Amino acid sequence: MKLIIISNRLPLKIVEENNQYKVVASDGGLATGLNSLQTMHERHWVGWPGMYLEDGPEKEQIDKEMLKQNFHPVYLTPEQIENYYEGYSNSVLWPMCHYFSTYMRYEPAYWKAYQQVNQLFCDEACRIIEPGDIVWVQDYQLMLLPALIRNCVDDISIGYFLHIPFPSYELFRALPERADLLNGLLGADLVGFHTHEYMRHFISAVYRVLKYDFTLDEIQLDSRVVDVDAFPMGINYQLYYDASLKPAIRKQAKELKANFGDVKIIVSVDRLDYSKGILLRLESFKQFLEDHPEWHAKVSLVMIVSPSRDTVDTYAELKDQIDQMVGAINGKYSTSQWTPIHYFYRGFDFEEVTALYHIADVALVTPMRDGMNLVAKEYLAAKRTKPGVLILSEMAGAANELYDAIIVNPTDINQIENAILTALEMPVSEQKESLKAMQDIISVQTVQQWAADFIEELGDVRKKNQKLKEKIVGKEHLQEIREQYNKAQHRLILLDYDGTLVAFYRNPMQAKPTKALKELLAAYAADPKNYLVITSGRDRNVLEKWFGDLPAGLAAEHGAFYKENGEWHEKVKDVEWDQDIVNIIKHTVKKTPKSRLEVKKTALVWHYRDVDPWLADLRVNQLVNALITPCALANLQIMKGNKIVEVKQSNFSKGAEAIRIIEKGNYDFIMAVGDDTTDEEMFMALPQDAITIKVGKSSASARYNIPTQQETIEFLKDLLKKH
């Protein structure tokens, strides 16, 4: 079994030195984090190596070197990098996911290239993936890849992790390719995010765009489930915690401290990006200097900005603004002995940055939106036992864990200014207490733990889906059921209607049986060994109209009325409904567009199939809460079904009707098929050796599962075949 990690970049890069190509390790949070993954599996990595090489001896030699380390390169042309990476990934998805929709730049060529490159990654990965392998796809550049791989190889586990925020549905819905991206992600067995907020946004988008139902953190597809969960990514904690013990880093720290002078140090580390809030951070520090002259010559901001995409107009403009603002602040406040802002437009290596973290009194981390932000965690770890204060944006994923930091709104200049003052004046004892509390968190939730948690849950989902797959009626199960069916002399066949024999319709009266369905049911009913019963929540008038000519049993309103030997029987007389209960449901209908109330003789049913999913969830909870007390007083049952909430008398159910039928006969074959909560009662009431089949989402109470309503009809047809 192999673990195959797939990301946009390989954790190496190819550089040219003295007209020769070399393979060297690359930097970056994702590469560093996944390289730290400890696993018993043989690990392979698929990704772009950082440059394009033409076929030839040099490329062959580099490929051999990479293959020795289980690296599998996907070579991209400059045009593909322009349209797939710079285009769709970073000019469409990145600004959208970070809530900078005004920066989105859309070209048709971008989406085409994104599709092509995802397919290239799939082609390369499928060369090495075998059944039983684990595949872990990383980040927003490869959102189509999970589904592509699932269509390529059977019997594998696929995980996907998004390292940036997933936006709210209101923003995501504007993307033309929204359904394609979601379907791509749902090729995975487990979709992971840094926070529960992103997880919630994703589930909401799937529910609203693709109409898939979900239960808590589980999305139900036709034949499997997709788990969605939050896995806050950590750092290699011990590496940063022990960094200051190294002589080279201690020396670097002393040199930096000497260069900055005898002042308090505020550190800020980012790559060049509009999502990082750098300009507002500078504005806040400028206002701090204006309002607090007592801190002049006593504090300096050390700001590191790593170059990124500065050939793109938006980023080049941002860099110019940063340069101008830093120059203006230093021009106004600098003295011969003091520089307010030390600005470095370059990346710092590990020794430099950890030395800087160690000596910094305050870390100012205020992104406008960030998936996690590992700088905050690196700073806390590198402080070791020295005091220090973290000022952290509430928009960073890390804020969910690091609640002992000073949490700020990154757009509120006054709040950031006040946070700077609070941090600088905070007593050392309070600094150490908060620092220790946050170190306790990040020392446990390390990058190794993050990866281990993800792989463990991916394994759990695999087991869950294997169990579901075992229950799906395939050729073997069909043959077993058919053999029992053919041997039996007295058969009872209980079939639900809506969602089982027919699909759901917006207008329930449109779900009338087709000629083909009537012929199929007639074939079952005509067999003298069979007693066919159609059991439904519909009223008896509808069932009589549609199936009255069949020599079959009918059970209406979950068995409150039943037809046997051509005659209808009532278990209950007409009910006079409590007006308070009726008014509660009518009030819900009034507040919920596209919902309606159906009044039956034995039940009140609130239908919400066409209601907006978010509003439906809200109204269901409100309605059930409002009905609990009056229904308890009236001895009525509240039942949630498939897009319905039903108030009914508690002594009538499909389970009770099934027991009544069984007690009147002597059956050596019993089969029940249904899709709803009401059918679960029927399954549980039947003998253990009965053939119970749940349509749609599998259930513990049914022995078998048929994923879709359409497949149910095919199953019923196949069962009648002799072979």
Side-chain angles (χ1 to χ4, degrees), residues 398-407 438 441:
N400 285 347
E401 300 171 272
L402 306 179
Y403 38 81
D404 284 292
I406 300 177
I407 306 296
M438 290 186 283
I441 293 170

Side-chain angles (χ1 to χ4, degrees), residues 34 127 194 245 267 338 343 407 427 477 493 502 567 605 613:
L34 290 178
R127 291 189 180 98
H194 284 301
L245 300 179
V267 65
W338 173 59
Y343 171 41
I407 306 296
H477 288 322
I493 300 170
V502 295
E567 293 186 13
V605 187

Side-chain angles (χ1 to χ4, degrees), residues 524-587:
Y524 274 93
D527 190 329
K529 296 180 181 180
N530 291 344
Y531 180 39
L532 173 67
V533 180
I534 298 172
T535 174
S536 171
R538 289 180 180 266
D539 66 54
R540 60 178 174 177
N541 293 326
V542 173
L543 292 186
E544 177 64 28
K545 178 181 178 182
W546 288 349
F547 301 109
D549 57 337
L550 279 179
L554 301 175
E557 299 192 30
H558 309 307
F561 305 89
Y562 63 92
K563 182 181 182 182
E564 280 183 342
N565 301 318
E567 293 186 13
W568 279 98
H569 304 270
E570 295 186 23
K571 292 183 182 177
V572 64
K573 301 300 180 183
D574 290 354
V575 177
E576 185 174 340
W577 294 105
D578 184 294
Q579 197 58 43
D580 287 343
I581 294 175
V582 174
N583 288 340
I584 288 171
I585 302 177
K586 284 184 175 180
H587 181 66

Side-chain angles (χ1 to χ4, degrees), residues 421-441:
L421 181 62
T422 300
L424 293 173
E425 294 179 344
M426 185 180 291
V428 170
S429 60
E430 188 177 338
Q431 292 183 41
K432 288 189 172 183
E433 183 180 350
S434 298
L435 184 68
K436 180 63 168 58
M438 290 186 283
Q439 285 179 336
D440 287 345
I441 293 170

Side-chain angles (χ1 to χ4, degrees), residues 69-248:
Q69 304 176 59
N70 288 336
F71 291 125
H72 305 271
V74 178
Y75 290 104
L76 303 179
T77 66
E79 183 182 8
Q80 287 170 332
I81 290 297
E82 174 66 26
N83 290 322
Y84 144 78
Y85 184 72
E86 297 294 348
Y88 198 81
S89 296
N90 288 323
S91 296
V92 177
L93 293 178
W94 177 271
M96 178 196 66
C97 289
H98 288 84
Y99 292 74
F100 283 87
S101 56
T102 55
Y103 288 175
M104 290 174 67
R105 187 163 53 88
Y106 192 92
E107 297 288 343
Y110 291 172
W111 172 242
K112 185 177 180 180
Y114 189 82
Q115 292 174 297
Q116 291 173 341
V117 172
N118 272 251
Q119 185 63 56
L120 287 177
F121 274 79
C122 177
D123 295 342
E124 182 61 36
C126 288
R127 291 189 180 98
I128 59 172
I129 298 173
E130 298 173 305
D133 284 347
I134 299 171
V135 179
W136 193 0
V137 181
Q138 307 289 331
D139 226 358
Y140 64 103
Q141 301 95 345
L142 301 171
M143 295 176 82
L144 301 178
L145 190 54
L148 292 174
I149 292 176
R150 183 161 297 282
N151 292 331
C152 175
V153 187
D154 292 327
D155 190 29
I156 58 173
S157 295
I158 304 176
Y160 175 90
F161 193 87
L162 185 69
H163 292 266
I164 64 175
F166 194 93
S168 71
Y169 167 71
E170 292 305 323
L171 192 59
F172 186 78
R173 70 188 299 192
L175 200 61
E177 302 83 18
R178 57 192 185 178
D180 299 273
L181 294 172
L182 292 176
N183 279 317
L185 294 177
L186 291 180
D189 298 293
L190 174 62
V191 180
F193 303 91
H194 284 301
T195 74
H196 291 92
E197 179 186 34
Y198 311 150
M199 169 185 164
R200 177 169 51 85
H201 288 164
F202 173 71
I203 290 175
S204 175
V206 170
Y207 192 22
R208 291 163 179 252
V209 175
L210 302 181
K211 311 302 182 186
Y212 285 125
D213 286 330
F214 68 93
T215 303
L216 300 177
D217 60 350
E218 188 179 278
I219 297 170
Q220 290 95 45
L221 305 185
D222 287 343
S223 58
R224 62 187 180 90
V225 298
V226 177
D227 272 20
V228 183
D229 212 341
F231 302 87
M233 189 176 182
I235 60 171
N236 189 336
Y237 179 80
Q238 209 61 44
L239 178 67
Y240 283 88
Y241 187 75
D242 292 339
S244 61
L245 300 179
K246 297 181 178 179

Side-chain angles (χ1 to χ4, degrees), residues 299-454:
V299 62
S300 290
L301 172 64
V302 179
M303 190 169 74
I304 302 167
V305 178
S306 298
S308 173
R309 305 183 70 208
D310 49 14
T311 57
V312 176
D313 290 346
T314 302
Y315 287 76
E317 183 181 347
L318 174 61
K319 183 183 181 301
D320 288 344
Q321 291 175 312
I322 293 171
D323 293 346
Q324 292 172 17
M325 188 172 289
V326 170
I329 294 171
N330 282 341
K332 182 174 182 179
Y333 293 105
S334 289
T335 67
S336 59
Q337 303 296 319
W338 173 59
T339 302
I341 302 176
H342 297 271
Y343 171 41
F344 300 91
Y345 186 65
R346 65 176 178 85
F348 272 36
D349 61 27
F350 177 77
E351 290 186 355
E352 284 181 296
V353 78
T354 49
L356 180 57
Y357 287 151
H358 191 65
I359 66 172
D361 300 279
V362 179
L364 190 55
V365 184
T366 57
M368 304 290 284
R369 186 77 58 167
D370 218 339
M372 173 51 67
N373 193 289
L374 298 181
V375 167
K377 297 185 177 185
E378 292 169 359
Y379 169 77
L380 294 172
K383 291 304 296 178
R384 198 170 174 86
T385 57
K386 285 190 68 175
V389 183
L390 172 63
I391 300 173
L392 181 60
S393 165
E394 65 185 26
M395 301 296 186
N400 285 347
E401 300 171 272
L402 306 179
Y403 38 81
D404 284 292
I406 300 177
I407 306 296
V408 297
N409 180 339
T411 66
D412 190 335
I413 293 173
N414 293 328
Q415 193 178 57
I416 297 175
E417 176 196 354
N418 293 334
I420 293 172
L421 181 62
T422 300
L424 293 173
E425 294 179 344
M426 185 180 291
V428 170
S429 60
E430 188 177 338
Q431 292 183 41
K432 288 189 172 183
E433 183 180 350
S434 298
L435 184 68
K436 180 63 168 58
M438 290 186 283
Q439 285 179 336
D440 287 345
I441 293 170
I442 65 173
S443 64
V444 174
Q445 190 56 37
T446 62
V447 67
Q448 293 92 342
Q449 190 62 51
W450 166 77
D453 288 346
F454 189 94

Side-chain angles (χ1 to χ4, degrees), residues 281-304:
R281 194 178 311 156
L282 285 170
E283 190 65 39
S284 302
F285 187 66
K286 173 187 174 184
Q287 186 167 301
F288 171 80
L289 295 177
E290 291 176 356
D291 294 343
H292 298 281
E294 70 274 15
W295 278 98
H296 290 187
K298 295 180 181 179
V299 62
S300 290
L301 172 64
V302 179
M303 190 169 74
I304 302 167

